[in-house]
Protein backbone atom coordinates (compact mmCIF):
# COMPACT_ATOMS: atom_id res chain seq x y z
CA UNK A 1 0.00 0.00 0.00
CA UNK A 2 2.86 2.40 0.74
CA UNK A 3 6.41 2.58 -0.54
CA UNK A 4 9.50 4.49 0.48
CA UNK A 5 11.30 6.58 -2.10
CA UNK A 6 14.26 4.28 -2.84
CA UNK A 7 12.06 1.58 -4.35
CA UNK A 8 9.86 4.17 -6.00
CA UNK A 9 12.60 5.65 -8.14
CA UNK A 10 14.72 2.62 -8.92
CA UNK A 11 14.68 2.17 -12.69
CA UNK A 12 14.85 -1.21 -14.37
CA UNK A 13 18.20 -2.37 -15.59
CA UNK A 14 19.70 -5.69 -16.56
CA UNK A 15 18.17 -7.83 -13.82
CA UNK A 16 14.70 -6.28 -14.07
CA UNK A 17 14.10 -6.42 -17.80
CA UNK A 18 10.79 -8.13 -17.07
CA UNK A 19 9.20 -4.83 -16.07
CA UNK A 20 6.65 -3.45 -18.57
CA UNK A 21 8.05 -1.22 -21.29
CA UNK A 22 5.98 1.73 -20.04
CA UNK A 23 7.66 1.45 -16.62
CA UNK A 24 11.13 0.96 -18.06
CA UNK A 25 10.77 4.04 -20.26
CA UNK A 26 9.45 6.27 -17.48
CA UNK A 27 11.48 9.54 -17.58
CA UNK A 28 14.22 9.76 -14.97
CA UNK A 29 14.59 13.54 -15.15
CA UNK A 30 12.87 16.59 -16.59
CA UNK A 31 15.05 16.51 -19.72
CA UNK A 32 13.56 13.12 -20.61
CA UNK A 33 10.01 14.22 -19.89
CA UNK A 34 7.98 14.79 -23.06
CA UNK A 35 4.92 17.04 -23.15
CA UNK A 36 3.49 19.65 -20.75
CA UNK A 37 6.27 22.05 -21.76
CA UNK A 38 4.40 25.00 -20.24
CA UNK A 39 4.95 23.37 -16.85
CA UNK A 40 8.22 21.46 -17.25
CA UNK A 41 10.31 23.60 -19.61
CA UNK A 42 13.26 25.71 -18.50
CA UNK A 43 12.11 28.35 -16.04
CA UNK A 44 8.60 26.90 -15.83
CA UNK A 45 6.67 26.25 -12.63
CA UNK A 46 7.34 22.57 -11.93
CA UNK A 47 10.98 22.69 -12.97
CA UNK A 48 11.52 25.77 -10.80
CA UNK A 49 10.01 23.94 -7.84
CA UNK A 50 12.28 20.95 -8.40
CA UNK A 51 15.39 23.11 -8.78
CA UNK A 52 14.53 25.15 -5.68
CA UNK A 53 13.59 21.96 -3.79
CA UNK A 54 10.48 23.69 -2.54
CA UNK A 55 7.21 21.95 -3.19
CA UNK A 56 3.65 22.86 -2.37
CA UNK A 57 0.61 20.61 -2.30
CA UNK A 58 -0.74 20.00 -5.78
CA UNK A 59 -3.21 17.89 -7.67
CA UNK A 60 -2.32 16.81 -11.20
CA UNK A 61 -5.53 16.68 -13.23
CA UNK A 62 -5.53 15.24 -16.71
CA UNK A 63 -6.41 12.27 -18.91
CA UNK A 64 -4.60 8.92 -18.59
CA UNK A 65 -1.03 8.53 -19.74
CA UNK A 66 0.05 12.19 -19.83
CA UNK A 67 2.59 12.10 -16.99
CA UNK A 68 0.75 12.72 -13.72
CA UNK A 69 2.51 10.01 -11.73
CA UNK A 70 5.84 10.63 -13.44
CA UNK A 71 5.77 14.32 -12.56
CA UNK A 72 5.05 13.50 -8.93
CA UNK A 73 8.00 11.12 -8.90
CA UNK A 74 10.34 13.63 -10.54
CA UNK A 75 9.37 16.34 -8.07
CA UNK A 76 9.72 14.05 -5.08
CA UNK A 77 13.13 12.81 -6.22
CA UNK A 78 14.41 16.39 -6.26
CA UNK A 79 13.55 16.99 -2.60
CA UNK A 80 15.16 15.41 0.48
CA UNK A 81 11.93 14.32 2.06
CA UNK A 82 10.17 11.33 3.51
CA UNK A 83 8.16 9.95 0.58
CA UNK A 84 5.06 7.77 0.70
CA UNK A 85 2.93 6.69 -2.23
CA UNK A 86 -0.66 5.73 -1.66
CA UNK A 87 -3.49 4.32 -3.74
CA UNK A 88 -6.96 5.64 -3.07
CA UNK A 89 -8.34 2.37 -4.42
CA UNK A 90 -7.15 0.25 -1.48
CA UNK A 91 -6.70 2.72 1.39
CA UNK A 92 -9.15 3.56 4.17
CA UNK A 93 -9.34 6.31 6.77
CA UNK A 94 -7.57 4.17 9.39
CA UNK A 95 -4.51 3.81 7.15
CA UNK A 96 -4.61 7.51 6.34
CA UNK A 97 -4.47 8.49 10.02
CA UNK A 98 -1.57 6.13 10.63
CA UNK A 99 0.42 7.66 7.79
CA UNK A 100 -0.44 11.19 8.93
CA UNK A 101 0.83 10.43 12.44
CA UNK A 102 4.04 9.10 10.92
CA UNK A 103 4.39 12.31 8.92
CA UNK A 104 3.92 14.41 12.05
CA UNK A 105 6.64 12.43 13.84
CA UNK A 106 9.04 12.89 10.93
CA UNK A 107 8.58 16.64 11.15
CA UNK A 108 8.90 16.88 14.92
CA UNK A 109 11.75 14.40 15.43
CA UNK A 110 13.85 14.85 12.29
CA UNK A 111 12.62 18.11 10.81
CA UNK A 112 11.79 16.24 7.59
CA UNK A 113 8.82 17.01 5.46
CA UNK A 114 6.72 14.15 4.13
CA UNK A 115 5.61 14.01 0.51
CA UNK A 116 2.47 11.95 0.13
CA UNK A 117 1.52 10.94 -3.39
CA UNK A 118 -2.06 9.70 -3.84
CA UNK A 119 -3.03 8.11 -7.11
CA UNK A 120 -6.71 8.38 -8.09
CA UNK A 121 -7.36 10.80 -5.25
CA UNK A 122 -10.92 11.34 -6.51
CA UNK A 123 -11.78 7.88 -5.16
CA UNK A 124 -11.41 9.09 -1.58
CA UNK A 125 -14.73 10.08 -0.01
CA UNK A 126 -15.22 13.37 1.82
CA UNK A 127 -14.40 11.97 5.25
CA UNK A 128 -11.15 10.51 3.95
CA UNK A 129 -10.22 13.78 2.26
CA UNK A 130 -10.99 15.71 5.44
CA UNK A 131 -8.44 13.58 7.29
CA UNK A 132 -5.63 15.20 5.26
CA UNK A 133 -6.71 18.77 5.91
CA UNK A 134 -5.00 19.57 9.27
CA UNK A 135 -1.73 17.98 8.14
CA UNK A 136 -1.70 19.97 4.91
CA UNK A 137 -2.46 23.17 6.84
CA UNK A 138 0.34 22.57 9.36
CA UNK A 139 2.81 21.64 6.67
CA UNK A 140 3.37 18.12 7.96
CA UNK A 141 2.88 16.84 4.43
CA UNK A 142 3.10 17.99 0.87
CA UNK A 143 0.15 16.32 -0.80
CA UNK A 144 0.60 15.37 -4.45
CA UNK A 145 -2.53 13.89 -5.96
CA UNK A 146 -3.35 12.51 -9.39
CA UNK A 147 -6.83 12.39 -10.86
CA UNK A 148 -8.60 12.01 -14.18
CA UNK A 149 -11.73 13.63 -12.74
CA UNK A 150 -12.52 17.33 -12.39
CA UNK A 151 -11.29 18.36 -8.91
CA UNK A 152 -14.09 20.93 -8.70
CA UNK A 153 -16.55 18.05 -8.41
CA UNK A 154 -14.47 15.39 -6.68
CA UNK A 155 -12.32 17.21 -4.09
CA UNK A 156 -13.65 18.87 -0.93
CA UNK A 157 -13.72 22.64 -1.24
CA UNK A 158 -11.76 23.08 2.02
CA UNK A 159 -8.96 20.83 0.79
CA UNK A 160 -9.10 22.21 -2.75
CA UNK A 161 -8.62 25.77 -1.46
CA UNK A 162 -5.26 24.75 0.03
CA UNK A 163 -3.97 22.86 -2.99
CA UNK A 164 -2.85 24.10 -6.39
CA UNK A 165 -4.47 22.30 -9.32
CA UNK A 166 -2.08 21.57 -12.19
CA UNK A 167 -3.93 20.86 -15.45
CA UNK A 168 -2.24 18.40 -17.80
CA UNK A 169 -3.29 18.03 -21.43
CA UNK A 170 -3.41 15.05 -23.81
CA UNK A 171 -0.09 14.46 -25.54
CA UNK A 172 0.17 15.71 -29.09
CA UNK A 173 1.15 13.40 -31.98
CA UNK A 174 4.66 14.83 -31.94
CA UNK A 175 5.04 13.97 -28.26
CA UNK A 176 3.89 10.39 -28.82
CA UNK A 177 6.22 10.06 -31.79
CA UNK A 178 9.18 11.12 -29.66
CA UNK A 179 8.23 8.64 -26.91
CA UNK A 180 7.77 5.73 -29.35
CA UNK A 181 10.98 6.47 -31.23
CA UNK A 182 12.94 6.69 -27.98
CA UNK A 183 11.62 3.27 -26.95
CA UNK A 184 12.66 1.81 -30.32
CA UNK A 185 16.07 3.50 -30.10
CA UNK A 186 16.96 2.78 -26.46
CA UNK A 187 19.03 -0.40 -26.08
CA UNK A 188 19.06 -0.38 -22.27
CA UNK A 189 15.45 0.25 -21.29
CA UNK A 190 13.77 0.04 -24.69
CA UNK A 191 13.54 -2.35 -27.62
CA UNK A 192 16.66 -1.51 -29.64
CA UNK A 193 18.55 -4.54 -28.33
CA UNK A 194 15.91 -6.73 -30.00
CA UNK A 195 16.65 -5.24 -33.39
CA UNK A 196 13.02 -4.24 -33.99
CA UNK A 197 11.97 -1.71 -36.61
CA UNK A 198 8.76 0.16 -37.35
CA UNK A 199 7.94 2.00 -40.54
CA UNK A 200 6.70 5.58 -40.62
CA UNK A 201 3.15 4.60 -41.56
CA UNK A 202 2.99 2.07 -38.73
CA UNK A 203 4.25 4.65 -36.24
CA UNK A 204 1.43 6.92 -37.36
CA UNK A 205 -1.09 4.10 -36.88
CA UNK A 206 0.19 3.59 -33.33
CA UNK A 207 -0.08 7.32 -32.60
CA UNK A 208 -3.66 7.38 -33.85
CA UNK A 209 -4.56 4.39 -31.70
CA UNK A 210 -3.14 5.93 -28.54
CA UNK A 211 -5.42 8.99 -28.19
CA UNK A 212 -2.74 11.12 -26.55
CA UNK A 213 -1.90 8.43 -23.96
CA UNK A 214 1.80 7.54 -23.67
CA UNK A 215 1.11 4.47 -21.56
CA UNK A 216 -1.27 3.09 -24.16
CA UNK A 217 1.28 3.76 -26.91
CA UNK A 218 4.07 1.93 -25.09
CA UNK A 219 1.85 -0.96 -24.02
CA UNK A 220 0.64 -1.47 -27.59
CA UNK A 221 4.20 -1.20 -28.88
CA UNK A 222 5.39 -3.84 -26.45
CA UNK A 223 2.61 -6.30 -27.28
CA UNK A 224 3.05 -5.71 -31.00
CA UNK A 225 6.78 -6.30 -30.71
CA UNK A 226 6.14 -9.66 -29.05
CA UNK A 227 3.69 -10.57 -31.81
CA UNK A 228 6.19 -9.60 -34.51
CA UNK A 229 8.93 -11.70 -32.93
CA UNK A 230 6.59 -14.66 -32.57
CA UNK A 231 6.22 -14.48 -36.37
CA UNK A 232 10.03 -14.44 -36.62
CA UNK A 233 10.19 -10.96 -38.07
CA UNK A 234 11.90 -7.79 -36.88
CA UNK A 235 9.41 -5.48 -38.59
CA UNK A 236 6.46 -4.37 -36.47
CA UNK A 237 3.54 -3.88 -38.83
CA UNK A 238 0.12 -2.28 -38.61
CA UNK A 239 -1.44 -5.75 -38.46
CA UNK A 240 0.54 -6.45 -35.28
CA UNK A 241 -0.83 -3.26 -33.75
CA UNK A 242 -4.38 -4.12 -34.75
CA UNK A 243 -4.03 -7.56 -33.26
CA UNK A 244 -2.58 -6.07 -30.08
CA UNK A 245 -5.39 -3.63 -29.73
CA UNK A 246 -8.21 -5.83 -31.08
CA UNK A 247 -10.55 -2.95 -30.54
CA UNK A 248 -9.61 0.68 -30.16
CA UNK A 249 -10.08 1.84 -26.59
CA UNK A 250 -11.63 5.29 -26.81
CA UNK A 251 -11.21 7.99 -24.19
CA UNK A 252 -14.72 8.04 -22.80
CA UNK A 253 -15.95 7.64 -19.24
CA UNK A 254 -19.70 7.14 -19.17
CA UNK A 255 -19.89 8.42 -15.58
CA UNK A 256 -17.12 10.98 -15.55
CA UNK A 257 -16.44 14.44 -16.88
CA UNK A 258 -15.54 13.25 -20.39
CA UNK A 259 -19.07 11.88 -20.71
CA UNK A 260 -20.48 15.35 -20.16
CA UNK A 261 -17.82 16.99 -22.30
CA UNK A 262 -18.69 14.86 -25.31
CA UNK A 263 -22.47 15.13 -25.00
CA UNK A 264 -21.92 18.89 -24.70
CA UNK A 265 -19.81 18.78 -27.86
CA UNK A 266 -22.60 16.95 -29.70
CA UNK A 267 -25.26 19.40 -28.51
CA UNK A 268 -23.20 22.46 -29.45
CA UNK A 269 -22.27 21.00 -32.84
CA UNK A 270 -25.93 20.51 -33.69
CA UNK A 271 -26.78 23.99 -32.43
CA UNK A 272 -24.02 25.34 -34.66
CA UNK A 273 -25.59 23.52 -37.66
CA UNK A 274 -22.49 21.35 -38.20
CA UNK A 275 -23.59 17.85 -39.31
CA UNK A 276 -20.01 16.58 -39.70
CA UNK A 277 -19.05 17.46 -36.14
CA UNK A 278 -22.39 16.08 -34.96
CA UNK A 279 -21.69 12.72 -36.61
CA UNK A 280 -18.16 12.65 -35.19
CA UNK A 281 -19.23 13.20 -31.57
CA UNK A 282 -22.10 10.75 -32.02
CA UNK A 283 -19.63 8.13 -33.20
CA UNK A 284 -17.30 8.90 -30.30
CA UNK A 285 -20.09 8.06 -27.89
CA UNK A 286 -21.59 5.05 -29.62
CA UNK A 287 -18.27 3.39 -30.47
CA UNK A 288 -17.20 3.78 -26.83
CA UNK A 289 -20.28 1.94 -25.62
CA UNK A 290 -22.56 4.78 -24.57
CA UNK A 291 -26.19 3.83 -23.95
CA UNK A 292 -27.85 4.68 -27.30
CA UNK A 293 -31.13 5.50 -25.55
CA UNK A 294 -29.32 8.16 -23.53
CA UNK A 295 -28.17 9.72 -26.82
CA UNK A 296 -31.73 9.48 -28.18
CA UNK A 297 -33.10 11.27 -25.12
CA UNK A 298 -30.62 14.10 -25.59
CA UNK A 299 -31.62 14.43 -29.27
CA UNK A 300 -35.31 14.61 -28.32
CA UNK A 301 -34.48 17.35 -25.85
CA UNK A 302 -32.47 19.21 -28.49
CA UNK A 303 -35.35 19.00 -30.98
CA UNK A 304 -37.53 21.13 -28.72
CA UNK A 305 -34.84 23.25 -27.07
CA UNK A 306 -32.86 24.38 -30.11
CA UNK A 307 -35.09 23.71 -33.12
CA UNK A 308 -38.56 23.96 -31.69
CA UNK A 309 -41.23 25.56 -33.89
CA UNK A 310 -38.66 26.51 -36.53
CA UNK A 311 -39.14 22.91 -37.68
CA UNK A 312 -41.77 20.97 -35.69
CA UNK A 313 -40.82 17.86 -37.67
CA UNK A 314 -37.53 17.74 -35.74
CA UNK A 315 -39.29 16.35 -32.69
CA UNK A 316 -41.04 13.73 -34.85
CA UNK A 317 -37.73 12.62 -36.39
CA UNK A 318 -36.03 12.49 -32.98
CA UNK A 319 -38.83 10.43 -31.46
CA UNK A 320 -38.72 8.10 -34.47
CA UNK A 321 -34.97 7.63 -33.86
CA UNK A 322 -35.68 6.88 -30.21
CA UNK A 323 -38.31 4.30 -31.15
CA UNK A 324 -36.01 2.72 -33.73
CA UNK A 325 -33.20 2.53 -31.19
CA UNK A 326 -35.48 0.89 -28.66
CA UNK A 327 -36.87 -1.50 -31.27
CA UNK A 328 -33.74 -2.74 -33.04
CA UNK A 329 -30.93 -1.86 -30.60
CA UNK A 330 -27.26 -1.51 -31.44
CA UNK A 331 -25.39 -1.61 -33.71
CA UNK A 332 -28.25 -1.30 -36.22
CA UNK A 333 -29.66 1.78 -34.46
CA UNK A 334 -26.55 3.83 -35.15
CA UNK A 335 -27.89 4.90 -38.53
CA UNK A 336 -31.24 5.96 -37.09
CA UNK A 337 -29.43 8.14 -34.56
CA UNK A 338 -27.13 9.45 -37.28
CA UNK A 339 -30.17 10.40 -39.37
CA UNK A 340 -31.62 12.33 -36.45
CA UNK A 341 -28.28 14.06 -35.82
CA UNK A 342 -27.98 15.21 -39.43
CA UNK A 343 -31.63 16.33 -39.53
CA UNK A 344 -31.24 18.35 -36.33
CA UNK A 345 -27.94 19.87 -37.46
CA UNK A 346 -29.42 21.01 -40.78
CA UNK A 347 -32.79 22.17 -39.43
CA UNK A 348 -33.49 25.90 -38.88
CA UNK A 349 -32.83 26.83 -35.26
CA UNK A 350 -34.95 28.58 -32.66
CA UNK A 351 -34.78 28.56 -28.88
CA UNK A 352 -38.02 30.56 -28.55
CA UNK A 353 -39.83 27.61 -26.97
CA UNK A 354 -37.00 27.16 -24.46
CA UNK A 355 -36.98 30.86 -23.56
CA UNK A 356 -40.77 31.07 -23.55
CA UNK A 357 -41.17 28.23 -21.09
CA UNK A 358 -38.41 29.63 -18.86
CA UNK A 359 -40.20 33.00 -18.76
CA UNK A 360 -43.51 31.31 -17.92
CA UNK A 361 -41.84 29.27 -15.16
CA UNK A 362 -40.26 32.44 -13.73
CA UNK A 363 -43.69 34.08 -13.73
CA UNK A 364 -45.17 31.10 -11.88
CA UNK A 365 -42.46 31.19 -9.21
CA UNK A 366 -42.13 34.96 -9.01
CA UNK A 367 -45.75 36.02 -8.61
CA UNK A 368 -48.82 34.89 -6.70
CA UNK A 369 -50.61 31.97 -8.34
CA UNK A 370 -53.91 33.59 -9.10
CA UNK A 371 -57.04 31.48 -9.60
CA UNK A 372 -58.11 30.47 -13.07
CA UNK A 373 -60.37 33.22 -14.53
CA UNK A 374 -64.03 32.29 -14.16
CA UNK A 375 -64.83 32.66 -17.84
CA UNK A 376 -62.47 29.81 -18.85
CA UNK A 377 -63.48 27.44 -16.08
CA UNK A 378 -65.57 24.42 -16.90
CA UNK A 379 -69.12 24.41 -15.45
CA UNK A 380 -70.44 20.84 -15.34
CA UNK A 381 -72.87 21.52 -12.42
CA UNK A 382 -75.65 24.06 -11.71
CA UNK A 383 -73.78 25.40 -8.68
CA UNK A 384 -70.72 26.15 -10.78
CA UNK A 385 -72.83 27.96 -13.34
CA UNK A 386 -74.52 29.98 -10.55
CA UNK A 387 -71.08 30.92 -9.28
CA UNK A 388 -70.17 32.32 -12.68
CA UNK A 389 -68.02 29.46 -13.98
CA UNK A 390 -67.83 29.73 -17.76
CA UNK A 391 -69.72 33.01 -17.89
CA UNK A 392 -68.59 35.12 -20.84
CA UNK A 393 -66.66 32.27 -22.46
CA UNK A 394 -66.45 32.52 -26.25
CA UNK A 395 -66.30 29.24 -28.17
CA UNK A 396 -63.65 29.89 -30.83
CA UNK A 397 -65.25 27.69 -33.47
CA UNK A 398 -68.33 29.86 -33.47
CA UNK A 399 -66.31 32.84 -34.73
CA UNK A 400 -64.74 33.74 -38.06
CA UNK A 401 -61.36 32.01 -38.51
CA UNK A 402 -61.87 30.59 -34.95
CA UNK A 403 -60.47 33.81 -33.46
CA UNK A 404 -61.84 35.65 -30.42
CA UNK A 405 -60.56 38.45 -28.22
CA UNK A 406 -60.88 36.21 -25.15
CA UNK A 407 -58.02 36.56 -22.64
CA UNK A 408 -56.97 33.32 -20.97
CA UNK A 409 -54.34 34.63 -18.52
CA UNK A 410 -55.11 35.59 -14.92
CA UNK A 411 -55.50 39.26 -14.06
CA UNK A 412 -51.93 40.28 -13.26
CA UNK A 413 -50.61 38.33 -16.22
CA UNK A 414 -52.78 40.10 -18.80
CA UNK A 415 -50.74 41.12 -21.83
CA UNK A 416 -47.69 39.00 -20.88
CA UNK A 417 -45.59 37.66 -23.74
CA UNK A 418 -43.66 34.47 -23.12
CA UNK A 419 -43.30 33.01 -26.60
CA UNK A 420 -41.63 35.27 -29.14
CA UNK A 421 -41.20 33.40 -32.45
CA UNK A 422 -38.24 34.09 -34.70
CA UNK A 423 -38.30 34.58 -38.46
CA UNK A 424 -36.49 31.26 -39.12
CA UNK A 425 -38.05 28.24 -40.76
CA UNK A 426 -41.68 27.41 -40.02
CA UNK A 427 -41.57 29.75 -37.04
CA UNK A 428 -41.71 32.69 -39.42
CA UNK A 429 -45.13 31.42 -40.50
CA UNK A 430 -46.14 31.14 -36.84
CA UNK A 431 -44.90 34.67 -36.13
CA UNK A 432 -46.80 36.14 -39.07
CA UNK A 433 -49.93 34.21 -38.09
CA UNK A 434 -49.80 35.46 -34.49
CA UNK A 435 -49.32 39.04 -35.67
CA UNK A 436 -52.34 38.75 -37.96
CA UNK A 437 -54.46 37.25 -35.19
CA UNK A 438 -53.42 39.99 -32.77
CA UNK A 439 -54.45 42.64 -35.30
CA UNK A 440 -57.85 40.96 -35.75
CA UNK A 441 -58.39 40.69 -31.98
CA UNK A 442 -57.63 44.38 -31.51
CA UNK A 443 -59.97 45.25 -34.35
CA UNK A 444 -62.81 43.19 -32.80
CA UNK A 445 -62.14 44.69 -29.39
CA UNK A 446 -62.35 48.21 -30.83
CA UNK A 447 -65.77 47.44 -32.40
CA UNK A 448 -67.15 46.27 -29.08
Amino acid sequence: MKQRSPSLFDQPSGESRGAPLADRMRPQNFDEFVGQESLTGEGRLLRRMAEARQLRSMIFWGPPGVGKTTLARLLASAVDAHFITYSAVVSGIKEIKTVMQEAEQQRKMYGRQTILFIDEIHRFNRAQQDAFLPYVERGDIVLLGATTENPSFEINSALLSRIKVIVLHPLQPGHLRAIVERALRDSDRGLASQGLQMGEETVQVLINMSDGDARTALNLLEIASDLAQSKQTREIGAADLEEALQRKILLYDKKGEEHYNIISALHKSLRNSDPDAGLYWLARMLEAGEDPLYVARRLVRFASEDVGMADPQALVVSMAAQQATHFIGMPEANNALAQAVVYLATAPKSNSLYIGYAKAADAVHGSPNEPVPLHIRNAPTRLMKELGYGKGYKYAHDFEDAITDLSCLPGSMQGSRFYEPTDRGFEKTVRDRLKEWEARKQKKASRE
Side-chain angles (χ1 to χ4, degrees), residues 363-409:
V364 168
H365 293 291
S367 60
N369 288 174
E370 298 177 61
V372 175
L374 288 175
H375 61 272
I376 57 172
R377 295 191 191 188
N378 208 14
T381 69
R382 179 182 296 180
L383 175 61
M384 290 178 174
K385 291 178 180 177
E386 292 175 351
L387 292 174
Y389 283 33
K391 185 177 181 180
Y393 173 66
K394 297 177 181 179
Y395 186 57
H397 296 290
D398 290 340
F399 293 81
E400 182 183 358
D401 295 327
I403 298 172
T404 76
D405 60 353
L406 190 71
S407 176
C408 298
L409 284 169

Side-chain angles (χ1 to χ4, degrees), residues 30 32 40 72 113 166 187 219 221 283 314 318 373 407 429 443:
F30 278 100
E32 287 189 358
T40 62
Q113 198 172 39
I166 303 295
S187 58
N219 287 343
L221 176 60
S318 299
S407 176
T429 302
K443 187 176 181 180

